[in-house]
Amino acid sequence: QHTWAAEKFAMKPSDPCKRLVLFYHDILYQEGDDLANATSASATNHTKLGGDFQFGRLVIFDDPVTLDRNLHSTPVAHAQGFYFYDKKTDFNAWMTYTLVFNSTHYKGTLNIMGADLMGVKTRDLSVVGGTGDFFMARGIATIMTDAVEGIKYFLLKMDIKLYECY
Amino acid sequence: QHTWAAEKFAMKPSDPCKRLVLFYHDILYQEGDDLANATSASATNHTKLGGDFQFGRLVIFDDPVTLDRNLHSTPVAHAQGFYFYDKKTDFNAWMTYTLVFNSTHYKGTLNIMGADLMGVKTRDLSVVGGTGDFFMARGIATIMTDAVEGIKYFLLKMDIKLYECY
Amino acid sequence: QHTWAAEKFAMKPSDPCKRLVLFYHDILYQEGDDLANATSASATNHTKLGGDFQFGRLVIFDDPVTLDRNLHSTPVAHAQGFYFYDKKTDFNAWMTYTLVFNSTHYKGTLNIMGADLMGVKTRDLSVVGGTGDFFMARGIATIMTDAVEGIKYFLLKMDIKLYECY
């Protein structure tokens, strides 16, 4: 006998059961900045292990997520979570966040985590769970840096492919 | 041919393969408090992005989990993890924790993460894994604020529904 | 009809579809240390809830992972993530990290999280996702403290068993 859950799993990696392409905008608050624009702030400073590459800086964010590159487009979700820099010899980060959807299209969340290997063009995070319209989902979020201004601002393209859909 | 794993998956969202209702008590240490009672402490303070709503405050906890609302009931588990506040305009948090069970009923852990949208009556976190009696489990933890005193104390009701049980 | 995904799931807990035994070395930077050797640094100090057991200290790491106990063996992966101490009455931690593989053997990542119950000989973390050669993997990482010097250095043996392999 067959199960309800397994029936909706992907047949192969090239064939996700759901796919979303989204853009994530992070504007880090720094001393003297306009608070109104900022979407993230450092909870900790970099450590002695690396000022140049910010080793140890942990940033908490509530970032708008849009359907295109335009920061001023109406957000379709918010990414709530944190990242931190974790390499002595280069920029490299680790991040986890929840995509919170509350639109006419989608209501629910996707929970994501993984290494953000900033030196690599595309890198894969794990989608480890979902709720609401994304009930129990799993998959891969491929991220790509689309624009960056130091540690002050970055724009990530997220190509989210779900391979387990209930 | 059929697999052992998939046979125990839930047939539909209304029908979890295991369900637990638990209460989580968080008592935040603040300057001058009785250390003995506290179950959590701030590892970071709020940032400039929001003192009113504590944006950036990260709290590490080892909280008792009981079968009823009574803080003084014998814990059936401990919730070990952290939460942080992450919204400029309202109270909102993100959390991840492990429920550590070590009783006659259950031995093992459940690993949980997600957005704690405090303004919403019930919100769903993802149960992304489990060990011991909860080997490889996945599901949803629906949380509801049962009592709250500022940021000092809160009581969450957790309705944990597992949909993948091995 | 049957699915591609489920076919490769483990048939029983005693029978993982993939297994890796690895060693994880953490060298915490402390004031006055040689920066060159350190692989981790405290982003926060311990809180008032426990200097003796470091409650609240959060450590960010980029740790070498080797095939044997020797710190100087060529790393086969790096563990990027963080841990924090979270108990008032004993050493106990919580950790999450990504194993980043980039060798001739494996390319890809495994995402891991859970309670590190340091007082217990072996403890299980959840492998909640994977990418690349570990596409969509799930499993259990059993860790064991192999050597320890205060909070300055520790060596963990990780026995990683995957039960869902795509």
Side-chain angles (χ1 to χ4, degrees), chain C residues 63-96:
Chain C
D63 284 345
V65 171
T66 58
L67 288 176
D68 60 24
R69 285 177 176 77
N70 190 340
L71 171 61
H72 303 292
S73 296
T74 304
V76 294
H78 275 77
Q80 302 182 337
F82 68 98
Y83 60 84
F84 53 82
Y85 294 99
D86 62 359
K87 211 167 182 68
K88 289 159 79 175
T89 56
D90 203 351
F91 277 112
N92 194 76
W94 191 94
M95 70 194 310
T96 184

Side-chain angles (χ1 to χ4, degrees), chain A residues 16 21 38 56 85 87 135 158:
Chain A
V21 176
Y85 293 98
K87 211 167 184 68
F135 177 76
M158 297 186 283

Side-chain angles (χ1 to χ4, degrees), chain B residues 7-160:
Chain B
E7 283 185 69
K8 302 196 187 171
F9 282 10
M11 296 301 283
K12 52 184 190 298
S14 56
D15 183 26
C17 43
K18 188 169 288 191
R19 189 169 181 178
L20 297 165
V21 177
L22 299 167
F23 292 84
Y24 158 117
H25 307 263
D26 185 70
I27 305 172
L28 179 63
Y29 173 76
Q30 290 176 298
E31 205 57 41
D33 280 2
D34 184 1
L35 282 169
N37 287 336
T39 63
S40 68
S42 299
T44 68
N45 281 313
H46 71 78
T47 67
K48 293 224 171 129
L49 239 56
D52 287 351
F53 304 110
Q54 301 293 326
F55 191 112
R57 181 182 296 279
L58 187 154
V59 174
I60 291 177
F61 57 80
D62 178 19
D63 284 344
V65 171
T66 58
L67 289 175
D68 60 23
R69 285 177 176 78
N70 190 340
L71 171 60
H72 303 293
S73 296
T74 304
V76 294
H78 276 75
Q80 301 182 338
F82 68 98
Y83 60 84
F84 53 81
Y85 294 99
D86 62 0
K87 213 168 180 67
K88 290 159 81 176
T89 55
D90 203 352
F91 277 112
N92 194 75
W94 191 93
M95 68 194 312
T96 183
Y97 55 96
T98 300
L99 288 176
V100 180
F101 295 84
N102 187 12
S103 71
T104 47
H105 279 297
Y106 294 114
K107 293 195 195 309
T109 68
L110 285 172
N111 290 309
I112 295 172
M113 68 183 280
D116 180 5
L117 307 168
M118 296 166 68
V120 181
K121 195 180 175 196
T122 64
R123 50 271 186 191
D124 289 344
L125 307 178
S126 291
V127 181
V128 296
T131 69
D133 289 342
F134 304 102
F135 176 76
M136 293 288 289
R138 290 183 76 232
I140 302 285
T142 301
I143 61 174
M144 192 183 311
T145 306
D146 194 83
V148 62
E149 298 170 19
I151 65 168
K152 175 65 199 159
Y153 173 76
F154 60 87
L155 170 60
L156 293 182
K157 182 178 177 181
M158 296 186 284
D159 184 353
I160 297 175

